[in-house]
Amino acid sequence: MPVRISRRHFIAVGAAAAATPFLVRGAFAQAPWPSRNIRMVCSYPAGGQTDLLARAFGDYISRQVGQNVVIENKAGASGSIGAAEVARAAPDGHTILCSISTTYVMNRVMMKNPGYDMDRDLTLVSIIPGAGLLLVASLASGVKTLDDFVAFARKKGQVNFGTYSAGSAPHMTINELNKQYGLKIEPIHYRGEAPMWTGLMDGTLDVAMGSYTAAQPVLQGNHGVVFAVHSKKVAAIPNVKTLPEQGATSKFFTISGFTGWAVPKATPQPIVDRLSELCVAANNDPKVKEVLATFVLEPALGFKESNALYQRELPTWIESAQALGLEPA
């Protein structure tokens, strides 16, 4: 017997069918996040500052969302290897980059093809403003202030000033001091802070510049004197003045680096906002507090504050990097 379908039933079925694609899409768009493990790609080696921050914040996020946050160290090429991998990942909030301002800012100047475009491929979620970098002189130099250093550099002529890499903040600091004071300091580049500070302790270097935490073997062993900090005070040594407070005028001495988290560009904004909220909330976690205190770092900022700081400091970073005159690798 043929089944009779009333006009009312036909319209109801048709309306339901027409609505189905929208219901499916809506359900997909509102699917709970995260629905599986989260990969946090740290683009620097295990055991360093970036890695420890990734693990502390990752542990907190994991406990809040009920999914594992797996830290994967993808080091190399100034963070570009890990950044390029995250840029190619699905934009669903399950792959996050943890890296530093070198990766987010400097690579666009220092590399011809880093494998990603920060503006096109990644969205900053949250950043931790960098701590003040220390300028430390050897005891033999007699330097205790910026004026002392300028006088020392002019008298000696050739000053051995250590940096932890070409294109780094110390490298740019040397360039800016040379320009303002008419000095001829040549940077000596090391592969990381540890060998650089060793160079100061063994007498190879007259001056070196780096983080407060990494400089502790020098300071605690009375092998050097902090005569300035780059752009912001360090709470542990409040009496040491910044370069601007001592007369340095470059705009580069008004900015600082940062560590931060980013996701693929097309990641839905609600997920970006949730991740940002979690990073900010993590500031109150005991494990996170311990790591921040260890490296004398400020708390993580929210999405809007992070991107405002990034956009505000970006032109100065690029201008200072380009002033080095280095050919992109």
Side-chain angles (χ1 to χ4, degrees), residues 17-203:
T20 298
F22 297 96
L23 292 173
V24 171
R25 283 199 296 269
F28 178 79
Q30 297 172 21
W33 173 89
S35 58
R36 60 182 185 276
N37 288 350
I38 298 171
R39 292 175 63 223
M40 187 178 290
V41 177
C42 175
S43 63
Y44 285 85
Q49 175 178 309
T50 310
D51 174 70
L52 294 176
L53 286 169
R55 294 180 188 279
F57 278 80
D59 178 68
Y60 176 81
I61 292 171
S62 175
R63 286 185 276 118
Q64 303 309 305
V65 302
Q67 296 284 355
N68 291 328
V69 176
V70 181
I71 309 299
E72 295 185 12
N73 296 93
K74 301 282 185 178
S78 299
S80 64
I81 293 175
E85 183 166 323
V86 173
R88 295 190 298 266
D92 57 10
H94 291 90
T95 305
I96 305 170
L97 174 66
C98 181
S99 197
I100 62 176
S101 46
T102 298
T103 305
Y104 296 124
V105 178
M106 296 296 293
N107 284 352
R108 69 174 73 202
V109 177
M110 306 301 294
M111 296 180 142
K112 289 181 180 178
N113 182 22
Y116 63 98
D117 182 294
M118 182 61 204
D119 299 326
R120 183 188 66 222
D121 299 331
L122 294 169
T123 295
L124 271 179
V125 172
S126 174
I127 66 174
I128 297 173
L133 294 176
L134 278 55
L135 283 78
V136 183
S138 67
L139 295 180
S141 70
V143 171
K144 295 182 180 179
T145 66
L146 177 58
D147 286 342
D148 289 345
F149 172 69
V150 172
F152 169 77
R154 286 173 175 162
K155 182 177 180 180
K156 186 174 182 182
Q158 181 177 347
V159 175
N160 296 328
F161 195 130
T163 87
Y164 45 77
S165 70
S168 62
H171 189 184
M172 287 186 276
T173 294
I174 292 169
N175 194 53
E176 297 299 332
L177 291 176
N178 280 343
K179 287 193 294 184
Q180 179 174 346
Y181 296 102
L183 306 177
K184 297 180 181 180
I185 303 168
E186 289 290 337
I188 299 178
H189 302 303
Y190 288 80
R191 292 189 174 185
E193 282 200 67
M196 179 193 71
W197 292 120
T198 298
L200 185 67
M201 288 189 288
D202 67 19

Side-chain angles (χ1 to χ4, degrees), residues 173-252:
T173 294
I174 292 169
N175 194 53
E176 297 299 332
L177 291 176
N178 280 343
K179 287 193 294 184
Q180 179 174 346
Y181 296 102
L183 306 177
K184 297 180 181 180
I185 303 168
E186 289 290 337
I188 299 178
H189 302 303
Y190 288 80
R191 292 189 174 185
E193 282 200 67
M196 179 193 71
W197 292 120
T198 298
L200 185 67
M201 288 189 288
D202 67 19
T204 301
L205 299 175
D206 298 305
V207 181
M209 178 177 168
S211 68
Y212 175 82
T213 302
Q216 286 311 297
V218 175
L219 303 181
Q220 293 178 3
N222 197 31
H223 295 292
V225 175
V226 184
F227 67 90
V229 289
H230 172 254
S231 62
K232 62 172 63 173
K233 293 274 194 176
V234 174
I237 45 174
N239 293 329
V240 178
K241 294 181 179 180
T242 65
L243 287 171
E245 286 176 329
Q246 298 188 60
T249 57
S250 170
K251 287 190 296 182
F252 181 67

Side-chain angles (χ1 to χ4, degrees), residues 255-292:
I255 64 174
S256 62
F258 60 86
T259 301
W261 291 268
V263 292
K265 194 71 173 182
T267 301
Q269 190 62 40
I271 294 177
V272 173
D273 291 340
R274 176 60 176 147
L275 271 171
S276 175
E277 291 168 1
L278 287 167
C279 288
V280 172
N283 291 323
N284 296 315
D285 180 71
K287 292 182 180 179
V288 170
K289 281 185 174 180
E290 182 179 356
V291 176
L292 292 174

